[in-house]
């Protein structure tokens, strides 16, 4: 109980300082633990990151998680987890991400009733994944479609195979998950997604995402730059909600 109280006081002190760096954390930790080594400081910080007590919000920038914000997570559909499992079974070393349209229902007024999976695959390996899945999902799987083709052949629970942009953020819990840093960039940069999302809801999506969740802003803007979409992303963000940039 005493250790818990000390940790609570320690986190409160960190929280009062706003954002903090790894060095700030070490100084504060040593103020409570005089003999702490560099390794024990790193271990304590990682433990707090893993437990969700603190969050990374930028390059060497962290903050204490409060009651108004939380770490983003999405409970993937049975279809998404099944498809991911099939891909991993056949191609265990393959890097890929899955975004499903219903992830947006947490942020939009007009709820999405019909799901679709966007499966981004590294390099030029999308064709192999397509060949692996096309028999089981015949009639509702497309490989690198343009906007017209997507809407012409659209079906409920459609699978869309696309090329994974290099340096795309990995999921925090599972690498193939799509976290907010990737989701927010893709909905303004990807032509297919832009055709699926009411652009009048973009500002609401971004505002709710920044208000309710912790976002790694350095990762967000690095990926946005990679997609030549930083200006488009900034257009949608209430600048007062940024923690670092």
């Amino acid at each position: 109980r005493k250790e818990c109280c000390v940790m609570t006081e320690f986190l409160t002190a960190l929280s009062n300082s706003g954002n903090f760096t790894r060095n700030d954390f070490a100084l504060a930790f040593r103020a409570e633990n005089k003999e702490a080594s560099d390794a024990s400081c790193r271990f304590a910080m990682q433990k707090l990151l893993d437990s969700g007590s603190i969050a990374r919000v930028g390059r060497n920038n962290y903050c204490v998680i409060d009651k108004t914000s939380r770490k983003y997570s999405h409970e993937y559909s049975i279809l998404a987890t099944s498809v991911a499992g099939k891909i991993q079974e056949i191609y265990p070393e393959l890097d890929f991400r899955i975004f499903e349209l219903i992830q947006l229902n947490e942020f939009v007024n007009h709820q999405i009733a019909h799901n679709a999976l966007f499966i981004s695959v590294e390099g030029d390996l999308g064709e192999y994944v397509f060949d692996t899945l096309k028999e089981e999902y015949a009639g509702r799987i497309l490989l690198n479609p343009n906007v017209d083709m997507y809407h012409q052949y659209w079906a409920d629970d459609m699978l869309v195979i696309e090329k994974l942009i290099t340096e795309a953020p990995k999921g925090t819990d599972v690498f193939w998950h799509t976290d907010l840093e990737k989701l927010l960039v893709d909905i303004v940069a990807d032509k297919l997604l832009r055709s699926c999302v009411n652009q009048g809801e973009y500002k609401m999506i971004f505002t709710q995402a920044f208000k309710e969740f912790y976002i790694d802003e350095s990762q967000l803007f690095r990926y946005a730059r990679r997609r030549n979409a930083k200006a488009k992303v900034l257009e949608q963000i209430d600048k007062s909600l940024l923690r670092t940039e």
Side-chain angles (χ1 to χ4, degrees):
R1 187 185 296 261
K2 181 179 179 182
E3 183 179 341
C4 181
C5 291
V6 170
M7 183 56 70
T8 299
E9 292 173 4
F10 170 65
L11 289 174
T12 299
L14 274 179
S15 179
N16 291 338
S17 68
N19 291 359
F20 56 89
T21 66
R22 287 185 288 272
N23 189 53
D24 295 332
F25 179 92
L27 290 172
F29 189 74
R30 285 197 177 98
E32 299 290 338
N33 305 270
K34 305 297 184 184
E35 304 301 320
S37 64
D38 289 345
S40 60
C41 289
R42 289 194 297 270
F43 177 80
M45 186 170 186
Q46 190 58 52
K47 189 175 180 180
L48 290 171
L49 281 167
D50 292 342
S51 71
S53 297
I54 64 176
R56 186 177 188 270
V57 293
R59 183 178 177 83
N60 192 21
N61 234 298
Y62 304 85
C63 68
V64 175
I65 292 182
D66 57 35
K67 294 180 180 179
T68 61
S69 300
R70 62 191 191 276
K71 173 187 170 185
Y72 174 77
S73 64
H74 167 69
E75 186 175 344
Y76 281 81
S77 64
I78 294 173
L79 174 63
T81 53
S82 175
V83 169
K86 289 180 173 65
I87 295 173
Q88 288 182 287
E89 182 180 358
I90 305 299
Y91 308 105
E93 302 299 320
L94 184 68
D95 193 20
F96 68 96
R97 308 284 182 275
I98 294 180
F99 164 75
E100 51 183 355
L101 276 181
I102 57 174
Q103 284 185 244
L104 293 172
N105 281 341
E106 187 162 4
F107 305 100
V108 297
N109 282 327
H110 300 92
Q111 295 288 283
I112 297 166
H114 303 285
N115 199 17
L117 300 190
F118 292 81
I119 307 163
S120 303
V121 179
E122 68 171 314
D124 297 316
L125 301 175
E127 190 170 342
Y128 294 98
V129 174
F130 176 81
D131 288 339
T132 298
L133 300 174
K134 67 181 181 182
E135 185 173 339
E136 182 169 354
Y137 301 99
R140 55 190 180 97
I141 182 170
L142 296 173
L143 175 63
N144 298 320
N146 59 31
V147 173
D148 291 337
M149 185 183 300
Y150 172 79
H151 290 287
Q152 180 180 352
Y153 293 101
W154 184 89
D156 198 9
D157 288 335
M158 172 73 77
L159 275 60
V160 178
I161 312 294
E162 298 183 301
K163 185 172 182 177
L164 180 67
I165 302 297
T166 56
E167 299 181 35
K170 293 185 177 183
T172 304
D173 297 322
V174 180
F175 78 90
W176 59 263
H177 287 181
T178 294
D179 287 344
L180 283 177
E181 292 82 5
K182 184 174 187 296
L183 183 158
L184 293 174
V185 174
D186 285 347
I187 63 171
V188 300
D190 186 281
K191 290 181 180 179
L192 284 183
L193 289 181
R194 282 165 52 196
S195 73
C196 298
V197 182
N198 183 343
Q199 295 182 34
E201 300 206 63
Y202 277 7
K203 282 193 178 295
M204 181 178 65
I205 293 171
F206 275 78
T207 297
Q208 185 175 340
F210 272 84
K211 280 185 175 180
E212 296 190 9
F213 300 97
Y214 286 96
I215 293 173
D216 186 333
E217 294 173 13
S218 63
Q219 190 177 74
L220 173 83
F221 289 117
R222 182 168 63 249
Y223 182 55
R225 286 191 291 269
R226 183 67 186 84
R227 297 213 64 166
N228 297 315
K230 184 175 181 180
K232 291 179 180 178
V233 169
L234 283 170
E235 283 177 10
Q236 308 302 330
I237 299 175
D238 179 346
K239 307 306 183 295
S240 68
L241 298 176
L242 289 173
R243 294 175 181 270
T244 61
E245 296 230 353

